[in-house]
Amino acid sequence: MTTVATMPSWRIYLTLALVVGTAAAARLKVSGKDLTYNGQKVFLNGCNIAWHNYGYDFGNGGYDGTLEQWLREIGGSGGNSIRVWVHVEGYSTPRWDSNGYVTQCDQSGTFEADVKKLLDAAQAADVLVVLVLWNGAYLTNQAAVNLIWDDAKLDAYINNCLNSLVTQVKGHPALGAFEVVNEPEGSILVSSDSEPCYDTTTIGQSGAGWTGLYIPMERYLRFIGRQNQAIRAIDPEVLITLGSWGQFAQSDAFSNTHNHYTDECLNKAAGGSNAHLDFFQIHAYDWGGSWSPNAPFTVDADAYGLGKPVVLGEYASVCGAGTSLPNLYSYAYEHGYSGGWSWHYVATGECSDTRQQQQEALKTLKDRSDHGLVSFPVG
C-alpha cells in the first residue's frame, strides 16, 4: 500500500498542487481598470442570450437545455462569456404567497439546480456567465415592483431565494458576475432632489423613466444595494455589475451624464457598506441612426473617468449607427473597454442581429491578446 511516507516526492508535490488548485479555483476578478481571470488580463467577448423563454428558463420545469446548446455555439465561435436573465419580471420565479412575499425560489424546488446546470455547461465550454436577476426596462408584475418599494418584501426575497441561489453557485469558476437589475433607469421617477445621488433630472433629459412606474431613485438604489450586500455576504469574491441603458447614468464626466451608481450612492441608499459595483456596464444603441453625444462607440473607456472596468453590455449593428458588428467588437476591444456583448442570441426585435451574424462577429477577436486575452480556459 502506498502512503505519504512511501510516495515519491514528485507525486507529493503534484497531489498538493491539485488540492490547492481545487480549493482556489480561478475566478473573474478586477485589477484596477481591467478584468482578469487566473491572473491574466481578459476581454469578455460574448453575447446576451438573454433568454430562451422570457422569464421561464429556470425552475418549475422550464429548463430544457436550450441555453446550454446556445452557449456551446457561442463558445465554439470564440465567445468567452454570456449574459443571461433569470427572474426577469417574476412571473414564474420566485414563488410568491398571496400577500406578495417570496417563500422560495420556485414551486418545483429545481430553480437553483437549473442555474447550476447552466454554469456547469458553461465551464465545460470555457464560457463565463453573468446572471441578471431582474428587468427594469420593462416591468409589469406588481409583485416584483413591490420588492423595490417594500423593505420587508425585499427581505423575504433575499432570505428565501437569493441567499439560497448564491449559496448554491458560490465559487463556481464559470460564474462571471451577478447583476441585480437590467436598465433600472426605465422605471425611475424623474425628479429633483437635494441629494445628488437621487436627483434624476439630468438623466431624465435623455429619456429615463420610459415605463411610467415612477420609482424614486433612492428606492431603486436601495433595492440594488441591499441585494449586492446580500450576495457579498455569502460570496465575497464574486463580481457585481449593473447594466445601464446608456452612459447617461454611469458617469459624471459630461454635462449630460450623472453617475447614480457610485460606491457612495449605493452604500448610502442601502445603508452600510459592500453595496458597490465591481465594474460598470453600459448599453449602446443609436438614436435615429446616430450615436448620442459621448456614446461608448465615440470615446475611449477612460473618457468616463470611472476608475473601474467598463463593459459594453448591449449593442447591435442594426442599431449601431451604420457600424458592422465585427467593427463594434473591435472598437470595444481596442478602446479600453473590458468586454462587449451583442444583443441578443434570441435574435428577435428590431435591435438584434441574427445568430449567424453574432457567431461570425465573435470570431473577430478570438485569437487576439494585445488588449486582453480572449481565449482562456474556465476552471
Side-chain angles (χ1 to χ4, degrees):
M1 180 177 69
T2 302
T3 65
V4 172
T6 61
M7 188 182 295
S9 59
W10 67 269
R11 289 188 62 187
I12 296 174
Y13 296 146
L14 179 59
T15 301
L16 289 173
L18 290 172
V19 170
V20 171
T22 302
R27 304 287 301 272
L28 187 66
K29 296 183 178 181
V30 169
S31 177
K33 293 183 287 186
D34 298 325
L35 291 175
T36 66
Y37 195 85
N38 206 20
Q40 295 181 291
K41 178 182 175 180
V42 297
F43 179 89
L44 299 182
N45 183 49
C47 301
N48 286 273
I49 276 189
W51 62 80
H52 170 234
N53 191 6
Y54 182 83
Y56 289 80
D57 283 325
F58 303 98
N60 296 323
Y63 191 82
D64 63 1
T66 300
L67 299 181
E68 295 183 16
Q69 175 59 34
W70 287 356
L71 75 82
R72 284 191 290 268
E73 292 172 4
I74 291 168
S77 300
N80 61 25
S81 50
I82 58 171
R83 183 170 174 257
V84 177
W85 294 16
V86 182
H87 302 305
V88 194
E89 297 183 57
Y91 281 113
S92 177
T93 68
R95 185 180 185 186
W96 317 87
D97 68 13
S98 59
N99 295 312
Y101 288 86
V102 172
T103 60
Q104 62 191 78
C105 283
D106 71 322
Q107 186 170 353
S108 68
T110 61
F111 173 84
E112 298 94 321
D114 288 347
V115 176
K116 178 71 163 40
K117 287 177 186 176
L118 181 68
L119 293 175
D120 290 344
Q123 183 177 356
D126 291 325
V127 171
L128 297 173
V129 179
V130 176
L131 297 173
V132 186
L133 300 178
W134 306 98
N135 182 22
Y138 188 78
L139 188 56
T140 60
N141 184 0
Q142 189 60 44
V145 173
N146 289 344
L147 296 183
I148 309 171
W149 284 102
D150 190 325
D151 283 349
K153 289 181 176 177
L154 179 58
D155 285 340
Y157 167 69
I158 290 172
N159 293 332
N160 297 327
C161 180
L162 181 59
N163 286 348
S164 176
L165 172 61
V166 178
T167 299
Q168 290 297 316
V169 301
K170 175 182 177 180
H172 199 293
L175 177 58
F178 274 101
E179 178 180 334
V180 167
V181 59
N182 170 70
E183 299 188 0
E185 304 86 10
S187 303
I188 59 99
L189 171 69
V190 176
S191 65
S192 60
D193 196 289
S194 59
E195 169 51 63
C197 291
Y198 312 142
D199 187 327
T200 54
T201 53
T202 297
I203 64 172
Q205 295 169 7
S206 296
W210 61 84
T211 66
L213 289 176
Y214 307 120
I215 299 169
M217 182 59 85
E218 181 175 6
R219 290 303 316 175
Y220 232 132
L221 291 177
R222 184 167 177 80
F223 169 79
I224 296 164
R226 292 197 59 237
Q227 288 177 79
N228 289 353
Q229 290 172 325
I231 292 166
R232 284 199 178 92
I234 295 171
D235 189 352
E237 308 235 339
V238 72
L239 300 189
I240 296 176
T241 186
L242 183 136
S244 183
W245 109 105
Q247 71 276 15
F248 311 105
Q250 286 203 356
S251 173
D252 290 320
F254 304 101
S255 61
N256 67 335
T257 65
H258 180 66
N259 191 355
H260 291 280
Y261 308 114
T262 63
D263 296 0
E264 176 189 1
C265 288
L266 284 165
N267 286 329
K268 183 188 295 289
S273 59
N274 288 326
H276 61 280
L277 305 179
D278 293 292
F279 65 93
F280 289 94
Q281 181 199 141
I282 301 175
H283 301 169
Y285 299 103
D286 66 26
W287 290 16
S290 300
W291 295 119
S292 60
N294 313 308
F297 289 107
T298 67
V299 300
D300 290 352
D302 281 345
Y304 296 118
L306 294 170
K308 295 183 180 184
V310 182
V311 170
L312 301 186
E314 293 183 15
Y315 53 81
S317 71
V318 289
C319 293
T323 312
S324 71
L325 193 56
N327 284 345
L328 291 173
Y329 275 100
S330 294
Y331 188 100
Y333 186 74
E334 295 168 358
H335 288 264
Y337 297 98
S338 292
W341 300 317
S342 59
W343 183 263
H344 65 336
Y345 211 67
V346 184
T348 58
E350 63 182 23
C351 279
S352 179
D353 294 303
T354 68
R355 286 179 202 162
Q356 183 176 2
Q357 288 173 319
Q358 293 176 71
Q359 290 168 10
E360 289 302 313
L362 287 170
K363 297 174 184 177
T364 305
L365 301 178
K366 70 174 186 175
D367 295 322
R368 293 187 64 173
S369 60
D370 47 317
H371 295 284
L373 201 60
V374 173
S375 296
F376 54 89
V378 171

